[in-house]
Amino acid sequence: MPTDTSLESQLKDAVQLSEAVWAVLAERVGGDWQLRSIYHLNKSAQNELITLMGRPSIDTWLCGALSGGHSRSSAIPEENVLNAERFFAFPIPVTSQIILVGADDQTPAAQRIWKLTASLLSGRSTSSNQPFLPDLQSGLAFDLPLALEKVLGAFVQAVNCQGAWLAIRRGESLDVQSEWNVSKAKGVSLLIDSNPLLRRVSRSLSEVLITRGQPNWDNLPFGALKSGAHVWACLPLVIGQRLIGVVTVWRQKEFSPTELSQLRDLALRVPPSVEVVVTFSEMAAHLRRLGLLNDFVLTVSSAQNLDQIARRMFGLLARAFSTELIALFLRSSDGRILRDYRLTDSKMNVISVSLAGHSVQPFLTKDGRARLIVDTVTEGVVPIHKDARSMLIVPLKYRGQAIGVLIIENARAEAFTQYDEHLMVVITSHLAGLIEYTRLREEAEGRARSLSLIHEVVQQVIGLNDKKEVASITAELVAQYFKYELAAIFLFDEERRFSIQGIGGSHAETVKRALGGGEFVVDGGITSHVSKTGASIIINDTTQDSLYKPLKGWEARSEICVAVKDGDVILGIIDVESREQNAFTHNDLIAMESLAGILASVITSANQYQKLQETIRQLRLIEVELNARMEAQRSAENRLLQAAKLAAVGEMAAGIAHELNNPLTTVTGFSELILDELPQDATHRKELEMVLREARRAGDVVRRLLDFSRQGERVRAQADLNEVVNDVLALTNHLIQTNGVTLALELEESLPWIFIDRNQMKQVLLNLIHNALQAMPNGGDLHICTKMIPRDERKWAVMSVKDSGMGISTTDQNRIFEPFFTTKGDRGGTGLGLSVTFGIVTDHGGMIEISSEPDKGSTFAVWLPM
């Protein structure tokens, strides 16, 4: 074949002579077209041309030109940048190459130029009908698809067929490795026994020739051929008595004896070379798989986590076994969950599923063994991946215990050998140790992270007694340490409602808005189930779980929910969620369960502390109430003692008054008679006047004693206390002014009327005013006021009299209301005025309070109930 430079030169000369626009030399390799030499076609136009040639209709048109060995032309689709209206195809004899010319038109003379060029490029005359057999011992042996393409090309060129395919035998199947003008056949695996024509070839080791209309025409592989096809031939490739493959060809007209002879000759000459190429390819695959051990050491062993181990391992297996149908199942440390690793569209997908009832469970026993499944259809095995035909199942064992299962599948039957099984057993033994070590390290790191979280939680919530504050702080810490999108803690209150809650995480506000005052724990949902049963739940795909109930505005894809329990008593729940699938691992579940245990202790302590605080509060209330009752009892006892004293004095005073009243009346009467008859200048008139004066004073004392002992008839009615004050002041104004005392009056106008004896209240106020005036012999200030004051859940009318006199000592204040006790000394006083006042006030259900300091004055406040 000429060099690339000479090819381009020949194309250039032919383009100029034929007045074409451009020209290329193209070759069909592995079902695709490749440009070997180009003239006058830029890069974008080249890409456009390759795209056009890849279209099924144009590919079929070009293959027809090659198989027929005749030139042809066709209009170029309008949407292109090829600057020409038509294609002109000129096949190069006995090759898979074709000259493609772009031009608006080509005259017969121009077409002869291109036919001559094609003949020159073939290295022989255009009339040569000798079959071409490629040198399979050359570099083609390193490329099985290209070598088999060359082999099939030799058959196609030998008989100018419509279509063809070549299949290599693997076990009881024929795998189509190369095709000509039948793209749907590439890569298909055909069971020999399922097709009568293939079964016939396999048993007889001779060709099968079928023409349209014969009984087996409808049993042709890949269904009926194109309507123009008339004859179909299948030629076996045999080494000794062993079938290593077949070549099938078909076309419109029957094969001549010469053509059949050429096909048979090729079928006899090709098998040794094909076997060498296939054997070399299998040996190369074997060496590549052996390289798995070395690649495992170099790449997989250096991975930092389980996901990275799985990703790298899948990459090695995919290259070694030419399949992406790989699955890895790892069992959790507690044996409840399987971590499912798979490749989906070249991306690693990880989910957590329940181990119970899973198809790999039988392989996770101590006696579980590797299993090679040659054909899932004939053996009745359901594969992990849809449409898989063969499987290699290898348990991962660490120290005699199965920790997982590795499954490799292939879309064709008999894709794996016993050697592959033994190799994978060795690799998985190393892989199991690496996975277990990595898992233990991740669990240790997770537990360390959990311990850090628990330590932080304990530090921040220990001693807190507000459960809402405990929930809020813990939720924020959980979200912060584990980078969770949502961490929520809900605790029961005394009424067993989830009113105590804490929500943290990057989507906390979203969830709070979604709640809108509603309930997070939805009846029949995951949180409700955990709060009732106490069983932990981990879900890595909520779309597959019927318990999950989304909130409006928030929908998670992964969720962990654990109960906060004190023994068998459920105190609340911890719920973490993510919008990503497979966001949580078993380590996350262990961390949340550990935290729930600590949180239960904190909440229990908080509950006990709150109960203790409530007990202390109630005891303090009882203490206050008891002190108030004791004080009231002492006050009542004092009033009772005072009343007893007054009663005793009253009885004594009544007796004394009666005994003294008669003699005093006699003395007063005779003194008045004598004074009426005695002249003004009589010698003893002054002494007699003194006798009368003292007798009258003694009579006044007797009258007071009688008033004290005999309160008289009670006449009580609703009365205006302010009016009583004004009546008394009308009688005492002159006395107040003559004593040099300044009066200040402050009466509450809106003071309600009260139920009193007006005359007795006048006597009370009169006694208080007299005492105040006597306490200010040199004048002073007198302040009288009335007001309404609430006290002890009751309303009281208070009448107070305040003076600026000499005051009363603390010792005397304790005896001031006792009968005959007085502080007036030489200023006179019977000691009965305040006793009478005290008796009147207490008889009205009221009380008198005194506030006094020596030399600063005194205040007497009369409290009367409304």
Side-chain angles (χ1 to χ4, degrees):
M1 183 69 66
T3 63
D4 290 345
T5 304
S6 63
L7 283 175
E8 186 175 348
S9 177
Q10 290 178 345
L11 291 178
K12 178 181 177 181
D13 292 342
V15 165
Q16 292 175 348
L17 291 172
S18 64
E19 298 182 350
V21 178
W22 51 262
V24 297
L25 177 64
E27 183 175 13
R28 196 173 192 272
V29 180
D32 298 320
W33 289 97
Q34 299 178 5
L35 302 183
R36 298 301 187 190
S37 185
I38 304 128
Y39 175 71
H40 209 241
L41 204 61
N42 59 34
K43 192 66 176 177
S44 61
Q46 293 174 32
N47 294 333
E48 177 74 15
L49 180 60
I50 292 174
T51 301
L52 286 173
M53 295 173 73
R55 291 183 181 180
S57 59
I58 296 180
D59 177 56
T60 302
W61 181 76
L62 293 173
C63 289
L66 280 176
S67 60
H70 303 291
S71 62
R72 56 176 59 178
S73 68
S74 176
I76 299 177
E78 294 181 0
E79 65 283 0
N80 64 81
V81 293
L82 298 178
N83 299 322
E85 294 182 358
R86 299 185 67 80
F87 280 133
F88 292 87
F90 301 94
I92 298 176
V94 298
T95 70
S96 298
Q97 296 180 335
I98 194 168
I99 296 175
L100 199 60
V101 178
D104 293 339
D105 191 18
Q106 289 284 280
T107 63
Q111 293 186 33
R112 284 195 294 273
I113 293 174
W114 286 113
K115 290 177 181 179
L116 178 61
T117 303
S119 176
L120 292 174
L121 290 178
S122 70
R124 58 180 66 193
S125 68
T126 57
S127 61
S128 175
N129 290 321
Q130 297 298 320
F132 170 74
L133 185 64
D135 181 10
L136 297 182
Q137 307 302 322
S138 65
L140 288 176
F142 294 95
D143 191 341
L144 177 64
L146 182 59
L148 296 181
E149 184 85 13
K150 290 288 186 182
V151 171
L152 184 62
F155 282 87
V156 170
Q157 294 297 326
V159 295
N160 296 326
C161 60
Q162 273 186 312
W165 50 263
L166 184 152
I168 300 299
R169 182 170 185 173
R170 297 187 187 277
E172 297 304 317
S173 301
L174 288 170
D175 294 343
V176 178
Q177 299 284 341
S178 181
E179 54 80 23
W180 176 263
N181 204 18
V182 54
S183 57
K184 64 180 179 180
K186 185 67 175 291
V188 175
S189 181
L190 302 171
L191 286 175
I192 295 175
D193 289 340
S194 65
N195 187 281
L197 296 176
L198 298 179
R199 185 167 60 247
R200 176 177 165 186
V201 171
S202 174
R203 293 176 179 178
S204 66
L205 300 181
S206 59
E207 78 268 9
V208 173
L209 192 66
I210 301 292
T211 58
R212 183 179 291 275
Q214 290 185 342
N216 281 324
W217 182 261
D218 293 334
N219 292 324
L220 296 181
F222 309 112
L225 303 179
K226 293 182 179 180
S227 58
H230 180 72
V231 62
W232 180 89
C234 179
L235 298 105
L237 305 180
V238 181
I239 297 291
Q241 294 298 312
R242 180 167 51 88
L243 180 71
I244 67 168
V246 298
V247 174
T248 65
V249 294
W250 61 90
R251 69 179 187 181
Q252 295 173 330
K253 62 180 181 178
E254 293 187 5
F255 299 109
S256 66
T258 303
E259 290 174 328
L260 285 175
S261 177
Q262 290 177 348
L263 290 175
R264 291 172 185 149
D265 182 57
L266 280 173
L268 291 174
R269 294 166 56 195
V270 162
S273 299
V274 170
E275 186 173 40
V276 169
V277 175
V278 172
T279 302
F280 185 86
S281 175
E282 290 178 349
M283 290 180 62
H286 174 70
L287 292 174
R288 282 197 302 271
R289 293 176 185 179
L290 279 179
L292 274 176
L293 289 173
N294 183 58
D295 292 340
F296 178 82
V297 173
L298 293 177
T299 60
V300 178
S301 300
S302 62
Q304 299 299 313
N305 53 57
L306 292 178
D307 289 351
Q308 201 173 70
I309 289 175
R311 190 177 297 107
R312 293 183 180 182
M313 192 68 203
F314 279 33
L316 292 176
L317 295 176
R319 290 195 297 273
F321 293 99
S322 301
T323 180
E324 288 193 350
L325 306 182
I326 306 171
L328 174 65
F329 299 91
L330 298 180
R331 183 168 58 181
S332 63
S333 55
D334 63 358
R336 295 183 302 170
I337 297 172
L338 276 180
R339 195 79 169 157
D340 183 349
Y341 296 80
R342 299 194 197 186
L343 277 177
T344 304
D345 298 329
S346 300
K347 293 178 62 179
M348 180 65 68
N349 188 30
V350 187
I351 61 173
S352 294
V353 296
S354 175
L355 174 60
H358 199 280
S359 60
V360 303
Q361 191 173 14
F363 296 94
L364 290 171
T365 62
K366 187 175 182 180
D367 298 328
R369 299 178 179 276
R371 182 180 178 186
L372 175 62
I373 299 173
V374 176
D375 191 337
T376 58
V377 176
T378 58
E379 296 186 36
V381 177
V382 179
I384 298 297
H385 299 86
K386 186 180 179 181
D387 299 329
R389 289 289 300 276
S390 55
M391 301 174 66
L392 183 57
I393 306 173
V394 188
L396 277 69
K397 291 190 175 183
Y398 180 74
R399 295 182 178 177
Q401 297 294 325
I403 65 169
V405 178
L406 178 65
I407 300 178
I408 310 173
E409 298 178 332
N410 201 297
R412 58 183 177 82
E414 301 182 14
F416 307 107
T417 65
Q418 290 290 334
Y419 177 80
D420 294 331
E421 180 183 350
H422 297 156
L423 176 63
M424 289 310 302
V425 169
V426 174
I427 290 177
T428 53
S429 65
H430 295 286
L431 181 63
L434 178 61
I435 287 175
E436 191 65 14
Y437 169 77
T438 304
R439 182 160 60 185
L440 289 174
R441 189 187 74 242
E442 287 185 352
E443 288 182 358
E445 291 173 351
R447 288 170 183 169
R449 190 166 63 249
S450 300
L451 287 175
S452 298
L453 168 64
I454 291 171
H455 177 70
E456 185 74 16
V457 169
V458 170
Q459 277 192 326
Q460 295 209 27
V461 305
I462 194 71
L464 294 179
N465 304 311
D466 185 350
K467 290 192 288 185
K468 181 173 178 58
E469 189 175 1
V470 171
S472 297
I473 291 175
T474 306
E476 289 294 344
L477 288 175
V478 169
Q480 174 185 340
Y481 267 78
F482 292 94
K483 310 300 182 186
Y484 292 153
E485 294 177 74
L486 175 66
I489 296 176
F490 295 88
L491 304 177
F492 283 118
D493 57 17
E494 290 74 11
E495 299 177 0
R496 298 298 293 175
R497 293 183 297 105
F498 281 112
S499 63
I500 304 167
Q501 55 185 247
I503 301 177
S506 57
H507 287 79
E509 294 302 320
T510 303
V511 172
K512 289 177 182 178
R513 287 194 300 269
L515 284 174
E519 292 290 336
F520 185 88
V521 181
V522 181
D523 190 33
I526 294 172
T527 50
S528 176
H529 178 78
V530 173
S531 68
K532 292 176 181 177
T533 64
S536 301
I537 290 179
I538 177 172
I539 297 173
N540 273 309
D541 187 359
T542 56
T543 60
Q544 304 300 317
D545 197 292
S546 59
L547 281 178
Y548 180 72
K549 309 291 184 185
L551 292 173
K552 185 178 181 181
W554 167 260
E555 187 168 353
R557 284 291 176 266
S558 303
E559 183 172 3
I560 292 178
C561 190
V562 300
V564 180
K565 297 187 291 185
D566 181 17
D568 293 332
V569 180
I570 298 177
L571 306 175
I573 58 171
I574 300 176
D575 186 76
V576 293
E577 299 182 10
S578 172
R579 284 184 167 175
E580 299 293 329
Q581 287 186 0
N582 310 305
F584 304 126
T585 65
H586 186 66
N587 289 339
D588 294 311
L589 179 62
I590 294 175
M592 292 303 100
E593 289 178 336
S594 302
L595 177 62
I598 297 298
L599 197 57
S601 300
V602 174
I603 293 170
T604 301
S605 299
N607 287 338
Q608 293 174 348
Y609 181 82
Q610 287 179 350
K611 290 178 181 178
L612 179 61
Q613 289 295 99
E614 179 63 21
T615 302
I616 292 173
R617 188 184 68 81
Q618 292 178 356
L619 288 175
R620 285 177 177 170
L621 290 176
I622 293 172
E623 180 186 11
V624 171
E625 183 180 357
L626 183 59
N627 288 336
R629 290 183 179 180
M630 291 173 63
E631 183 64 30
Q633 184 176 355
R634 280 196 297 269
S635 178
E637 288 175 352
N638 290 335
R639 288 196 296 272
L640 183 60
L641 179 60
Q642 190 72 7
K645 288 181 180 180
L646 291 174
V649 172
E651 291 177 2
M652 181 183 67
I656 294 174
H658 283 292
E659 291 295 329
L660 294 178
N661 192 44
N662 292 334
L664 287 175
T665 303
T666 303
V667 171
T668 303
F670 283 108
S671 296
E672 289 176 348
L673 290 173
I674 293 171
L675 283 175
D676 288 341
E677 296 177 357
L678 193 66
Q680 291 295 326
D681 55 353
T683 305
H684 299 290
R685 186 176 180 84
K686 288 184 179 179
E687 289 80 358
L688 190 57
E689 288 177 348
M690 184 179 66
V691 170
L692 179 60
R693 187 169 56 253
E694 291 300 322
R696 287 176 176 172
R697 191 170 70 83
D700 186 55
V701 171
V702 170
R703 188 178 65 256
R704 287 176 177 270
L705 283 172
L706 289 173
D707 290 340
F708 178 74
S709 63
R710 182 177 66 252
Q711 295 298 334
E713 184 180 357
R714 295 179 180 178
V715 181
R716 295 187 184 179
Q718 292 290 338
D720 184 356
L721 187 59
N722 290 338
E723 186 178 332
V724 172
V725 173
N726 289 325
D727 289 347
V728 173
L729 289 178
L731 298 173
T732 57
N733 258 329
H734 178 71
L735 184 61
I736 292 172
Q737 293 176 3
T738 56
N739 278 275
V741 174
T742 303
L743 175 64
L745 190 62
E746 184 181 348
L747 305 179
E748 185 175 319
E749 295 181 359
S750 60
L751 186 68
W753 287 22
I754 57 176
F755 193 70
I756 58 173
D757 186 322
R758 290 173 57 90
N759 291 329
Q760 287 185 337
M761 282 301 111
K762 287 181 181 180
Q763 184 178 351
V764 168
L765 182 56
L766 190 60
N767 289 342
L768 294 177
I769 291 175
H770 282 163
N771 285 343
L773 294 176
Q774 291 173 3
M776 299 182 290
N778 299 320
D781 296 320
L782 180 63
H783 183 266
I784 300 175
C785 79
T786 61
K787 63 177 67 176
M788 183 178 67
I789 299 177
R791 183 175 180 179
D792 297 334
E793 299 182 357
R794 296 181 65 184
K795 292 182 180 179
W796 300 78
V798 181
M799 176 178 63
S800 63
V801 178
K802 179 180 180 182
D803 64 61
S804 60
M806 60 188 65
I808 306 171
S809 66
T810 305
T811 303
D812 291 342
Q813 289 180 29
N814 294 329
R815 302 183 59 199
I816 197 70
F817 297 111
E818 293 181 3
F820 305 113
F821 178 80
T822 180
T823 60
K824 297 176 183 177
D826 296 339
R827 292 178 285 115
T830 62
L832 295 173
L834 287 178
S835 296
V836 172
T837 300
F838 182 84
I840 294 171
V841 173
T842 54
D843 189 53
H844 279 74
M847 53 191 171
I848 301 179
E849 292 180 349
I850 179 173
S851 174
S852 180
E853 292 184 36
D855 300 326
K856 290 187 178 181
S858 303
T859 301
F860 287 84
V862 178
W863 292 70
L864 298 171
M866 301 292 290

